[in-house]
Amino acid sequence: MASRSVASAVGAVRPRLIIATRSEHKLRELRELLQLDGIDLVSLDDLGTEGDPVEDAETFEGNAAIKARFAVRATGLPSLADDSGLEVDALGGGPGVRTRRYAAENATDADNNAKLLAALDGLPPDRRGARYVCVLVLADGRPNASGPRGAVPILAETRGTCRGRIATEARGSGGFGYDPIFEPAGEPPGGRTLGLWSAAEKNRISHRARAARRMVPHLVDLP
């Protein structure tokens, strides 16, 4: 059913849905989580798409919509965009939409982790609470589809969260981003970080997994 629906949207024998990202980690996770048989999930790099949108919104929802609409305009395909990040209680919800750029504009995961650990240095476990947030936005890729003021229409938006705490040191090499310093709820202080969880374990409880499960029905019904 999903294959036929998307095929009618893009006019291809093998339907394609563009994932509006250049992150191989996100693309791989979404392929595993969505499990859309008969549909090719492709990235901007797969299609040789040049340029990137300016992500200047103040919310995950706003930035995901910016990326989804950019991908539709650039490729003519229906687009699914992810915007995600980490909200730390002791930082008033920061780094939030600046999660990827927390330490610097071109910061590495190690840079960001080190800055966050330094910011929370000395805080006890009950003051190290945090949550991962993921917002997925699906944009309409049908020819001549147009929303208010000519904007690319948004077909669906879903959100998922994963509650936990920030560890006192990095542990594990699995996952990406802040996973080596994020202890999910259910783990005791000093317990396993997501960097020590298997991909299958993480995919049961992660913010992206929860957002993806809520998005699947919208992809099945994609015009």
Side-chain angles (χ1 to χ4, degrees):
M1 182 177 181
S3 176
R4 290 194 298 273
S5 297
V6 180
S8 65
V10 300
V13 174
R14 177 77 178 183
R16 292 184 295 173
L17 174 67
I18 186 163
I19 305 300
T21 186
R22 298 191 189 279
S23 168
E24 285 297 323
H25 296 294
K26 286 186 179 181
L27 181 63
R28 181 172 62 249
E29 276 199 359
L30 285 169
R31 280 174 171 157
E32 293 171 355
L33 294 168
L34 293 171
Q35 297 185 1
L36 297 173
D37 294 337
I39 301 173
D40 287 334
L41 302 187
V42 296
S43 71
L44 295 170
D45 287 336
D46 289 335
L47 299 182
T49 306
E50 297 182 355
D52 289 294
V54 177
E55 300 173 38
D56 55 2
E58 295 298 320
T59 64
F60 296 119
E61 288 81 0
N63 282 326
I66 287 171
K67 289 188 279 191
R69 285 173 166 144
F70 168 84
V72 168
R73 293 190 185 100
T75 68
L77 296 173
S79 169
L80 184 66
D82 163 304
D83 200 61
S84 52
L86 186 68
E87 296 179 336
V88 180
D89 297 346
L91 301 181
V97 295
R98 290 195 56 81
T99 292
R100 184 174 57 82
R101 305 179 300 277
Y102 179 48
E105 188 64 30
N106 296 309
T108 65
D109 290 346
D111 294 335
N112 288 328
N113 290 346
K115 181 175 180 177
L116 183 54
L117 289 175
L120 302 187
D121 186 40
L123 291 185
D126 63 355
R127 294 187 59 198
R128 304 179 75 90
R131 67 174 183 172
Y132 270 129
V133 178
C134 173
V135 171
L136 294 177
V137 166
L138 176 65
D140 197 341
R142 290 174 296 175
N144 303 317
S146 180
R149 299 181 181 178
V152 173
I154 298 300
L155 298 176
E157 175 187 294
T158 61
R159 168 182 274 247
T161 62
C162 179
R163 187 73 191 175
R165 78 179 69 81
I166 303 303
T168 57
E169 62 181 0
R171 296 190 300 279
S173 58
F176 61 99
Y178 295 78
D179 286 355
I181 63 172
F182 187 86
E183 297 170 354
E187 291 283 351
R192 291 189 305 161
T193 66
L194 284 181
L196 292 168
W197 283 39
S198 69
E201 288 177 307
K202 180 182 173 183
N203 286 347
R204 285 197 292 269
I205 60 96
S206 78
H207 54 312
R208 189 164 291 111
R210 288 168 173 161
R213 284 194 289 269
R214 292 167 182 152
M215 180 58 71
V216 167
H218 300 288
L219 297 174
V220 168
D221 294 332
L222 191 65

